[in-house]
Amino acid sequence: MYSQTSSVPHAVKQIIGTNMLYFQALSTGIANYTALAQKIRPEVEKLTNSEVNINTLVVAIKRFADSLDEIDHEHDSVFDGVRMTLTGSIIDVDFNETEDIYQILDDIFELGSGYNMFRTNKQIRLFAEDIDEIRSMLSSSNKVATGEIKDGLSKITITIQSGKENTYEVLSVVFSLLHNNRIQLYNAFFTQNEIILILSMNDAARAYEVIREKLYSHQ
């Protein structure tokens, strides 16, 4: 959640840093600064409670990009205290957000199996381990939004030490590694202390090894 008032540079960092699409475009060097400035201008003005010039925004975006680029090249202790796990087989399911759907979600959560849940508009998106118990629950329910379950996926969970406050830096390095090795993401989410990467099973093992090599070369 954003703070009520921010400086322009801080607002830019908040907005881009909490939007995976913007952050990936910026950290991989494919973003058009002017186009991005125009896109985020309404949010920046809301956070700063003032009108913001496009050129001012472009400068702030470039400075943020430069800071990520410096981190990407230096890798100075970025991965200190970072841990990583790979979940070999998961499924992606979209549910309509209705009162009825919470029963099946509660049943899935009670299994204690690894899962991540995200809300988008009026839908709930669930990434869960592809195990027989969950498959059985979903097949016996008519509440799956489209009736489709996306499988053939894997999950990499990157846990950042509490208090380190370097999630953006870790994201920048990870995205650069994936981009340079031409490894495609299916989806990604992050919080203050955790990064979730969703990839195809064919790409996940290679992505894990690429990141692990960088991780343990700095520990």
Side-chain angles (χ1 to χ4, degrees):
M1 182 176 294
Y2 300 148
S3 58
Q4 291 184 345
T5 57
S6 298
S7 65
V8 171
H10 189 221
V12 166
K13 184 176 180 179
Q14 284 183 296
I15 294 166
I16 296 177
T18 54
N19 184 297
M20 188 61 66
L21 181 61
Y22 296 163
F23 191 93
Q24 187 170 11
L26 196 66
S27 62
T28 55
I30 62 174
N32 180 303
Y33 293 166
T34 301
L36 182 56
Q38 292 172 337
K39 187 74 174 178
I40 69 173
R41 183 179 183 178
E43 292 180 81
V44 173
E45 291 183 336
K46 183 177 180 180
L47 288 176
T48 59
N49 195 29
S50 63
E51 293 186 3
V52 179
N53 183 276
I54 286 293
N55 291 333
T56 302
L57 269 182
V58 169
V59 170
I61 292 170
K62 186 179 186 305
R63 286 177 177 171
F64 186 31
D66 288 344
S67 70
L68 295 177
D69 188 55
E70 289 173 5
I71 293 165
D72 181 38
H73 284 89
E74 294 175 2
H75 299 292
D76 289 339
S77 67
V78 169
F79 283 109
D80 285 354
V82 172
R83 295 293 178 267
M84 183 171 60
T85 59
L86 172 65
T87 304
S89 182
I90 67 169
I91 53 177
D92 171 14
V93 190
D94 282 340
F95 298 94
N96 285 322
E97 187 172 0
T98 64
E99 292 184 3
D100 294 336
I101 201 58
Y102 289 103
Q103 181 59 55
I104 187 172
L105 289 174
D106 286 343
D107 292 341
I108 291 174
F109 300 158
E110 285 179 4
L111 290 175
S113 184
Y115 64 84
N116 297 93
M117 187 179 75
F118 306 93
R119 292 185 178 182
T120 58
N121 297 327
K122 295 183 179 180
Q123 288 189 314
I124 295 175
R125 193 164 195 175
L126 178 72
F127 293 96
E129 286 193 67
D130 191 359
I131 57 177
D132 291 340
E133 291 87 346
I134 292 179
R135 286 278 189 172
S136 177
M137 291 177 187
L138 294 174
S139 64
S140 63
S141 171
N142 61 359
K143 301 181 181 64
V144 178
T146 63
E148 298 178 357
I149 299 173
K150 173 68 176 178
D151 54 18
L153 301 171
S154 293
K155 176 177 72 174
I156 295 175
T157 303
I158 301 173
T159 304
I160 299 164
Q161 184 177 334
S162 180
K164 286 286 287 185
E165 297 183 354
N166 64 337
T167 303
Y168 298 158
E169 290 87 344
V170 175
L171 274 170
S172 177
V173 175
V174 168
F175 281 152
S176 292
L177 290 171
L178 298 180
H179 177 73
N180 293 339
N181 286 274
R182 297 184 179 181
I183 299 174
Q184 291 189 340
L185 279 171
Y186 173 81
N187 217 323
F189 309 90
F190 65 97
T191 63
Q192 184 176 358
N193 298 111
E194 191 174 65
I195 300 169
I196 306 295
L197 306 176
I198 309 296
L199 309 98
S200 73
M201 293 179 68
N202 294 333
D203 292 330
R206 187 162 68 95
Y208 183 85
E209 287 303 315
V210 166
I211 300 170
R212 188 176 72 88
E213 181 180 359
K214 182 64 66 176
L215 171 64
Y216 288 106
S217 69
H218 292 272
Q219 292 188 356

PDB file of all heavy atoms in Angstrom, residues 121-149:
ATOM      1  N   ASN A 121      -9.152  -8.284  -9.651  1.00  0.00           N
ATOM      2  CA  ASN A 121     -10.512  -7.827  -9.886  1.00  0.00           C
ATOM      3  C   ASN A 121     -11.509  -8.719  -9.153  1.00  0.00           C
ATOM      4  O   ASN A 121     -11.481  -8.807  -7.944  1.00  0.00           O
ATOM      5  CB  ASN A 121     -10.819  -7.768 -11.382  1.00  0.00           C
ATOM      6  CG  ASN A 121      -9.942  -6.755 -12.094  1.00  0.00           C
ATOM      7  OD1 ASN A 121      -9.583  -5.728 -11.527  1.00  0.00           O
ATOM      8  ND2 ASN A 121      -9.579  -7.054 -13.328  1.00  0.00           N
ATOM      9  N   LYS A 122     -12.377  -9.436  -9.890  1.00  0.00           N
ATOM     10  CA  LYS A 122     -13.382 -10.280  -9.262  1.00  0.00           C
ATOM     11  C   LYS A 122     -13.009 -11.756  -9.311  1.00  0.00           C
ATOM     12  O   LYS A 122     -13.861 -12.629  -9.141  1.00  0.00           O
ATOM     13  CB  LYS A 122     -14.743 -10.069  -9.926  1.00  0.00           C
ATOM     14  CG  LYS A 122     -15.301  -8.662  -9.730  1.00  0.00           C
ATOM     15  CD  LYS A 122     -16.681  -8.527 -10.356  1.00  0.00           C
ATOM     16  CE  LYS A 122     -17.237  -7.124 -10.120  1.00  0.00           C
ATOM     17  NZ  LYS A 122     -18.589  -6.956 -10.712  1.00  0.00           N
ATOM     18  N   GLN A 123     -11.748 -12.028  -9.541  1.00  0.00           N
ATOM     19  CA  GLN A 123     -11.295 -13.405  -9.603  1.00  0.00           C
ATOM     20  C   GLN A 123     -10.232 -13.692  -8.565  1.00  0.00           C
ATOM     21  O   GLN A 123      -9.543 -12.795  -8.092  1.00  0.00           O
ATOM     22  CB  GLN A 123     -10.753 -13.741 -10.988  1.00  0.00           C
ATOM     23  CG  GLN A 123     -11.842 -13.868 -12.060  1.00  0.00           C
ATOM     24  CD  GLN A 123     -11.273 -14.407 -13.353  1.00  0.00           C
ATOM     25  OE1 GLN A 123     -10.241 -13.958 -13.812  1.00  0.00           O
ATOM     26  NE2 GLN A 123     -11.959 -15.371 -13.938  1.00  0.00           N
ATOM     27  N   ILE A 124     -10.137 -14.952  -8.214  1.00  0.00           N
ATOM     28  CA  ILE A 124      -9.092 -15.434  -7.326  1.00  0.00           C
ATOM     29  C   ILE A 124      -8.231 -16.391  -8.123  1.00  0.00           C
ATOM     30  O   ILE A 124      -8.737 -17.319  -8.755  1.00  0.00           O
ATOM     31  CB  ILE A 124      -9.682 -16.152  -6.106  1.00  0.00           C
ATOM     32  CG1 ILE A 124     -10.470 -15.173  -5.242  1.00  0.00           C
ATOM     33  CG2 ILE A 124      -8.577 -16.813  -5.283  1.00  0.00           C
ATOM     34  CD1 ILE A 124     -11.180 -15.823  -4.074  1.00  0.00           C
ATOM     35  N   ARG A 125      -6.945 -16.157  -8.099  1.00  0.00           N
ATOM     36  CA  ARG A 125      -6.024 -17.004  -8.837  1.00  0.00           C
ATOM     37  C   ARG A 125      -5.215 -17.834  -7.855  1.00  0.00           C
ATOM     38  O   ARG A 125      -4.623 -17.293  -6.919  1.00  0.00           O
ATOM     39  CB  ARG A 125      -5.094 -16.155  -9.695  1.00  0.00           C
ATOM     40  CG  ARG A 125      -4.321 -16.964 -10.721  1.00  0.00           C
ATOM     41  CD  ARG A 125      -3.743 -16.070 -11.780  1.00  0.00           C
ATOM     42  NE  ARG A 125      -3.310 -16.820 -12.949  1.00  0.00           N
ATOM     43  CZ  ARG A 125      -2.852 -16.251 -14.046  1.00  0.00           C
ATOM     44  NH1 ARG A 125      -2.785 -14.944 -14.139  1.00  0.00           N
ATOM     45  NH2 ARG A 125      -2.476 -16.982 -15.076  1.00  0.00           N
ATOM     46  N   LEU A 126      -5.220 -19.136  -8.075  1.00  0.00           N
ATOM     47  CA  LEU A 126      -4.551 -20.058  -7.161  1.00  0.00           C
ATOM     48  C   LEU A 126      -3.458 -20.825  -7.890  1.00  0.00           C
ATOM     49  O   LEU A 126      -3.691 -21.417  -8.944  1.00  0.00           O
ATOM     50  CB  LEU A 126      -5.568 -21.049  -6.585  1.00  0.00           C
ATOM     51  CG  LEU A 126      -5.009 -22.107  -5.634  1.00  0.00           C
ATOM     52  CD1 LEU A 126      -4.614 -21.477  -4.307  1.00  0.00           C
ATOM     53  CD2 LEU A 126      -6.033 -23.228  -5.416  1.00  0.00           C
ATOM     54  N   PHE A 127      -2.254 -20.779  -7.318  1.00  0.00           N
ATOM     55  CA  PHE A 127      -1.162 -21.629  -7.769  1.00  0.00           C
ATOM     56  C   PHE A 127      -0.924 -22.654  -6.670  1.00  0.00           C
ATOM     57  O   PHE A 127      -0.574 -22.283  -5.543  1.00  0.00           O
ATOM     58  CB  PHE A 127       0.107 -20.804  -8.022  1.00  0.00           C
ATOM     59  CG  PHE A 127      -0.012 -19.859  -9.183  1.00  0.00           C
ATOM     60  CD1 PHE A 127      -0.346 -18.528  -8.985  1.00  0.00           C
ATOM     61  CD2 PHE A 127       0.209 -20.299 -10.476  1.00  0.00           C
ATOM     62  CE1 PHE A 127      -0.461 -17.650 -10.055  1.00  0.00           C
ATOM     63  CE2 PHE A 127       0.106 -19.438 -11.562  1.00  0.00           C
ATOM     64  CZ  PHE A 127      -0.235 -18.114 -11.348  1.00  0.00           C
ATOM     65  N   ALA A 128      -1.134 -23.923  -6.984  1.00  0.00           N
ATOM     66  CA  ALA A 128      -1.040 -24.969  -5.971  1.00  0.00           C
ATOM     67  C   ALA A 128      -0.272 -26.165  -6.513  1.00  0.00           C
ATOM     68  O   ALA A 128      -0.172 -26.359  -7.733  1.00  0.00           O
ATOM     69  CB  ALA A 128      -2.439 -25.412  -5.534  1.00  0.00           C
ATOM     70  N   GLU A 129       0.263 -26.964  -5.605  1.00  0.00           N
ATOM     71  CA  GLU A 129       0.960 -28.173  -6.020  1.00  0.00           C
ATOM     72  C   GLU A 129       0.005 -29.092  -6.768  1.00  0.00           C
ATOM     73  O   GLU A 129      -1.169 -29.230  -6.411  1.00  0.00           O
ATOM     74  CB  GLU A 129       1.544 -28.898  -4.808  1.00  0.00           C
ATOM     75  CG  GLU A 129       2.766 -28.228  -4.227  1.00  0.00           C
ATOM     76  CD  GLU A 129       3.493 -29.133  -3.245  1.00  0.00           C
ATOM     77  OE1 GLU A 129       4.057 -30.161  -3.678  1.00  0.00           O
ATOM     78  OE2 GLU A 129       3.494 -28.804  -2.051  1.00  0.00           O
ATOM     79  N   ASP A 130       0.510 -29.712  -7.803  1.00  0.00           N
ATOM     80  CA  ASP A 130      -0.306 -30.606  -8.634  1.00  0.00           C
ATOM     81  C   ASP A 130      -0.311 -31.996  -7.998  1.00  0.00           C
ATOM     82  O   ASP A 130       0.464 -32.876  -8.364  1.00  0.00           O
ATOM     83  CB  ASP A 130       0.267 -30.667 -10.052  1.00  0.00           C
ATOM     84  CG  ASP A 130      -0.688 -31.365 -11.016  1.00  0.00           C
ATOM     85  OD1 ASP A 130      -1.761 -31.810 -10.576  1.00  0.00           O
ATOM     86  OD2 ASP A 130      -0.343 -31.449 -12.206  1.00  0.00           O
ATOM     87  N   ILE A 131      -1.202 -32.175  -7.019  1.00  0.00           N
ATOM     88  CA  ILE A 131      -1.306 -33.455  -6.321  1.00  0.00           C
ATOM     89  C   ILE A 131      -2.721 -33.993  -6.476  1.00  0.00           C
ATOM     90  O   ILE A 131      -3.673 -33.254  -6.769  1.00  0.00           O
ATOM     91  CB  ILE A 131      -0.948 -33.323  -4.831  1.00  0.00           C
ATOM     92  CG1 ILE A 131      -1.844 -32.284  -4.135  1.00  0.00           C
ATOM     93  CG2 ILE A 131       0.514 -32.946  -4.667  1.00  0.00           C
ATOM     94  CD1 ILE A 131      -1.581 -32.152  -2.639  1.00  0.00           C
ATOM     95  N   ASP A 132      -2.889 -35.302  -6.269  1.00  0.00           N
ATOM     96  CA  ASP A 132      -4.175 -35.963  -6.517  1.00  0.00           C
ATOM     97  C   ASP A 132      -5.303 -35.385  -5.675  1.00  0.00           C
ATOM     98  O   ASP A 132      -6.435 -35.237  -6.160  1.00  0.00           O
ATOM     99  CB  ASP A 132      -4.052 -37.474  -6.228  1.00  0.00           C
ATOM    100  CG  ASP A 132      -3.164 -38.184  -7.237  1.00  0.00           C
ATOM    101  OD1 ASP A 132      -2.964 -37.621  -8.329  1.00  0.00           O
ATOM    102  OD2 ASP A 132      -2.675 -39.285  -6.929  1.00  0.00           O
ATOM    103  N   GLU A 133      -5.022 -35.043  -4.405  1.00  0.00           N
ATOM    104  CA  GLU A 133      -6.072 -34.533  -3.529  1.00  0.00           C
ATOM    105  C   GLU A 133      -6.659 -33.228  -4.062  1.00  0.00           C
ATOM    106  O   GLU A 133      -7.881 -33.033  -4.056  1.00  0.00           O
ATOM    107  CB  GLU A 133      -5.520 -34.311  -2.114  1.00  0.00           C
ATOM    108  CG  GLU A 133      -5.166 -35.572  -1.365  1.00  0.00           C
ATOM    109  CD  GLU A 133      -3.768 -36.057  -1.642  1.00  0.00           C
ATOM    110  OE1 GLU A 133      -3.138 -35.566  -2.626  1.00  0.00           O
ATOM    111  OE2 GLU A 133      -3.286 -36.911  -0.886  1.00  0.00           O
ATOM    112  N   ILE A 134      -5.798 -32.333  -4.535  1.00  0.00           N
ATOM    113  CA  ILE A 134      -6.288 -31.058  -5.066  1.00  0.00           C
ATOM    114  C   ILE A 134      -7.015 -31.274  -6.387  1.00  0.00           C
ATOM    115  O   ILE A 134      -8.068 -30.673  -6.644  1.00  0.00           O
ATOM    116  CB  ILE A 134      -5.124 -30.065  -5.233  1.00  0.00           C
ATOM    117  CG1 ILE A 134      -4.590 -29.657  -3.852  1.00  0.00           C
ATOM    118  CG2 ILE A 134      -5.558 -28.825  -6.024  1.00  0.00           C
ATOM    119  CD1 ILE A 134      -3.426 -28.699  -3.885  1.00  0.00           C
ATOM    120  N   ARG A 135      -6.496 -32.134  -7.228  1.00  0.00           N
ATOM    121  CA  ARG A 135      -7.170 -32.456  -8.490  1.00  0.00           C
ATOM    122  C   ARG A 135      -8.577 -32.984  -8.225  1.00  0.00           C
ATOM    123  O   ARG A 135      -9.536 -32.632  -8.918  1.00  0.00           O
ATOM    124  CB  ARG A 135      -6.363 -33.497  -9.258  1.00  0.00           C
ATOM    125  CG  ARG A 135      -5.093 -32.967  -9.900  1.00  0.00           C
ATOM    126  CD  ARG A 135      -5.379 -32.300 -11.227  1.00  0.00           C
ATOM    127  NE  ARG A 135      -4.165 -31.983 -11.948  1.00  0.00           N
ATOM    128  CZ  ARG A 135      -4.145 -31.540 -13.193  1.00  0.00           C
ATOM    129  NH1 ARG A 135      -5.280 -31.353 -13.856  1.00  0.00           N
ATOM    130  NH2 ARG A 135      -3.007 -31.251 -13.802  1.00  0.00           N
ATOM    131  N   SER A 136      -8.707 -33.846  -7.219  1.00  0.00           N
ATOM    132  CA  SER A 136     -10.008 -34.427  -6.893  1.00  0.00           C
ATOM    133  C   SER A 136     -10.985 -33.359  -6.420  1.00  0.00           C
ATOM    134  O   SER A 136     -12.157 -33.349  -6.816  1.00  0.00           O
ATOM    135  CB  SER A 136      -9.833 -35.497  -5.809  1.00  0.00           C
ATOM    136  OG  SER A 136     -11.072 -36.031  -5.428  1.00  0.00           O
ATOM    137  N   MET A 137     -10.507 -32.436  -5.581  1.00  0.00           N
ATOM    138  CA  MET A 137     -11.367 -31.349  -5.097  1.00  0.00           C
ATOM    139  C   MET A 137     -11.855 -30.470  -6.248  1.00  0.00           C
ATOM    140  O   MET A 137     -13.017 -30.074  -6.304  1.00  0.00           O
ATOM    141  CB  MET A 137     -10.603 -30.482  -4.091  1.00  0.00           C
ATOM    142  CG  MET A 137     -10.306 -31.168  -2.785  1.00  0.00           C
ATOM    143  SD  MET A 137      -9.319 -30.090  -1.708  1.00  0.00           S
ATOM    144  CE  MET A 137      -8.962 -31.227  -0.362  1.00  0.00           C
ATOM    145  N   LEU A 138     -10.952 -30.164  -7.176  1.00  0.00           N
ATOM    146  CA  LEU A 138     -11.320 -29.303  -8.293  1.00  0.00           C
ATOM    147  C   LEU A 138     -12.265 -30.002  -9.264  1.00  0.00           C
ATOM    148  O   LEU A 138     -13.194 -29.389  -9.798  1.00  0.00           O
ATOM    149  CB  LEU A 138     -10.053 -28.851  -9.031  1.00  0.00           C
ATOM    150  CG  LEU A 138      -9.110 -27.937  -8.249  1.00  0.00           C
ATOM    151  CD1 LEU A 138      -7.837 -27.687  -9.040  1.00  0.00           C
ATOM    152  CD2 LEU A 138      -9.786 -26.620  -7.900  1.00  0.00           C
ATOM    153  N   SER A 139     -12.043 -31.281  -9.500  1.00  0.00           N
ATOM    154  CA  SER A 139     -12.893 -32.004 -10.447  1.00  0.00           C
ATOM    155  C   SER A 139     -14.295 -32.215  -9.907  1.00  0.00           C
ATOM    156  O   SER A 139     -15.260 -32.339 -10.680  1.00  0.00           O
ATOM    157  CB  SER A 139     -12.269 -33.364 -10.786  1.00  0.00           C
ATOM    158  OG  SER A 139     -12.206 -34.182  -9.636  1.00  0.00           O
ATOM    159  N   SER A 140     -14.437 -32.233  -8.579  1.00  0.00           N
ATOM    160  CA  SER A 140     -15.752 -32.430  -7.978  1.00  0.00           C
ATOM    161  C   SER A 140     -16.491 -31.118  -7.778  1.00  0.00           C
ATOM    162  O   SER A 140     -17.626 -31.090  -7.335  1.00  0.00           O
ATOM    163  CB  SER A 140     -15.624 -33.145  -6.626  1.00  0.00           C
ATOM    164  OG  SER A 140     -14.898 -32.343  -5.715  1.00  0.00           O
ATOM    165  N   SER A 141     -15.821 -30.006  -8.105  1.00  0.00           N
ATOM    166  CA  SER A 141     -16.437 -28.693  -7.944  1.00  0.00           C
ATOM    167  C   SER A 141     -16.803 -28.114  -9.292  1.00  0.00           C
ATOM    168  O   SER A 141     -16.086 -28.277 -10.276  1.00  0.00           O
ATOM    169  CB  SER A 141     -15.456 -27.743  -7.233  1.00  0.00           C
ATOM    170  OG  SER A 141     -15.954 -26.422  -7.257  1.00  0.00           O
ATOM    171  N   ASN A 142     -17.926 -27.422  -9.369  1.00  0.00           N
ATOM    172  CA  ASN A 142     -18.329 -26.744 -10.604  1.00  0.00           C
ATOM    173  C   ASN A 142     -18.061 -25.251 -10.514  1.00  0.00           C
ATOM    174  O   ASN A 142     -18.613 -24.456 -11.255  1.00  0.00           O
ATOM    175  CB  ASN A 142     -19.818 -26.975 -10.900  1.00  0.00           C
ATOM    176  CG  ASN A 142     -20.719 -26.432  -9.793  1.00  0.00           C
ATOM    177  OD1 ASN A 142     -20.232 -25.903  -8.792  1.00  0.00           O
ATOM    178  ND2 ASN A 142     -22.015 -26.584  -9.976  1.00  0.00           N
ATOM    179  N   LYS A 143     -17.196 -24.862  -9.601  1.00  0.00           N
ATOM    180  CA  LYS A 143     -16.984 -23.434  -9.335  1.00  0.00           C
ATOM    181  C   LYS A 143     -15.713 -22.888  -9.964  1.00  0.00           C
ATOM    182  O   LYS A 143     -15.341 -21.750  -9.751  1.00  0.00           O
ATOM    183  CB  LYS A 143     -16.972 -23.172  -7.827  1.00  0.00           C
ATOM    184  CG  LYS A 143     -18.271 -23.593  -7.132  1.00  0.00           C
ATOM    185  CD  LYS A 143     -18.212 -23.296  -5.658  1.00  0.00           C
ATOM    186  CE  LYS A 143     -19.504 -23.734  -4.967  1.00  0.00           C
ATOM    187  NZ  LYS A 143     -19.714 -25.182  -5.044  1.00  0.00           N
ATOM    188  N   VAL A 144     -14.984 -23.714 -10.705  1.00  0.00           N
ATOM    189  CA  VAL A 144     -13.829 -23.209 -11.431  1.00  0.00           C
ATOM    190  C   VAL A 144     -14.323 -22.282 -12.534  1.00  0.00           C
ATOM    191  O   VAL A 144     -15.238 -22.619 -13.281  1.00  0.00           O
ATOM    192  CB  VAL A 144     -13.003 -24.362 -12.027  1.00  0.00           C
ATOM    193  CG1 VAL A 144     -11.831 -23.815 -12.820  1.00  0.00           C
ATOM    194  CG2 VAL A 144     -12.507 -25.273 -10.911  1.00  0.00           C
ATOM    195  N   ALA A 145     -13.738 -21.116 -12.645  1.00  0.00           N
ATOM    196  CA  ALA A 145     -14.277 -20.057 -13.513  1.00  0.00           C
ATOM    197  C   ALA A 145     -14.476 -20.527 -14.944  1.00  0.00           C
ATOM    198  O   ALA A 145     -15.527 -20.335 -15.536  1.00  0.00           O
ATOM    199  CB  ALA A 145     -13.364 -18.840 -13.476  1.00  0.00           C
ATOM    200  N   THR A 146     -13.483 -21.146 -15.540  1.00  0.00           N
ATOM    201  CA  THR A 146     -13.573 -21.516 -16.942  1.00  0.00           C
ATOM    202  C   THR A 146     -13.638 -23.025 -17.133  1.00  0.00           C
ATOM    203  O   THR A 146     -13.819 -23.495 -18.251  1.00  0.00           O
ATOM    204  CB  THR A 146     -12.335 -21.001 -17.710  1.00  0.00           C
ATOM    205  OG1 THR A 146     -11.166 -21.630 -17.180  1.00  0.00           O
ATOM    206  CG2 THR A 146     -12.190 -19.498 -17.553  1.00  0.00           C
ATOM    207  N   GLY A 147     -13.488 -23.760 -16.074  1.00  0.00           N
ATOM    208  CA  GLY A 147     -13.430 -25.204 -16.197  1.00  0.00           C
ATOM    209  C   GLY A 147     -12.068 -25.684 -16.655  1.00  0.00           C
ATOM    210  O   GLY A 147     -11.864 -26.874 -16.864  1.00  0.00           O
ATOM    211  N   GLU A 148     -11.113 -24.771 -16.794  1.00  0.00           N
ATOM    212  CA  GLU A 148      -9.781 -25.119 -17.268  1.00  0.00           C
ATOM    213  C   GLU A 148      -8.755 -25.023 -16.145  1.00  0.00           C
ATOM    214  O   GLU A 148      -8.830 -24.151 -15.296  1.00  0.00           O
ATOM    215  CB  GLU A 148      -9.357 -24.196 -18.418  1.00  0.00           C
ATOM    216  CG  GLU A 148     -10.255 -24.308 -19.645  1.00  0.00           C
ATOM    217  CD  GLU A 148      -9.828 -23.349 -20.740  1.00  0.00           C
ATOM    218  OE1 GLU A 148      -8.874 -22.578 -20.490  1.00  0.00           O
ATOM    219  OE2 GLU A 148     -10.435 -23.360 -21.812  1.00  0.00           O
ATOM    220  N   ILE A 149      -7.829 -25.952 -16.160  1.00  0.00           N
ATOM    221  CA  ILE A 149      -6.725 -25.944 -15.212  1.00  0.00           C
ATOM    222  C   ILE A 149      -5.433 -25.951 -16.017  1.00  0.00           C
ATOM    223  O   ILE A 149      -5.216 -26.829 -16.844  1.00  0.00           O
ATOM    224  CB  ILE A 149      -6.764 -27.166 -14.281  1.00  0.00           C
ATOM    225  CG1 ILE A 149      -8.061 -27.173 -13.458  1.00  0.00           C
ATOM    226  CG2 ILE A 149      -5.551 -27.178 -13.357  1.00  0.00           C
ATOM    227  CD1 ILE A 149      -8.248 -28.425 -12.639  1.00  0.00           C
TER     228      ILE A 149
END
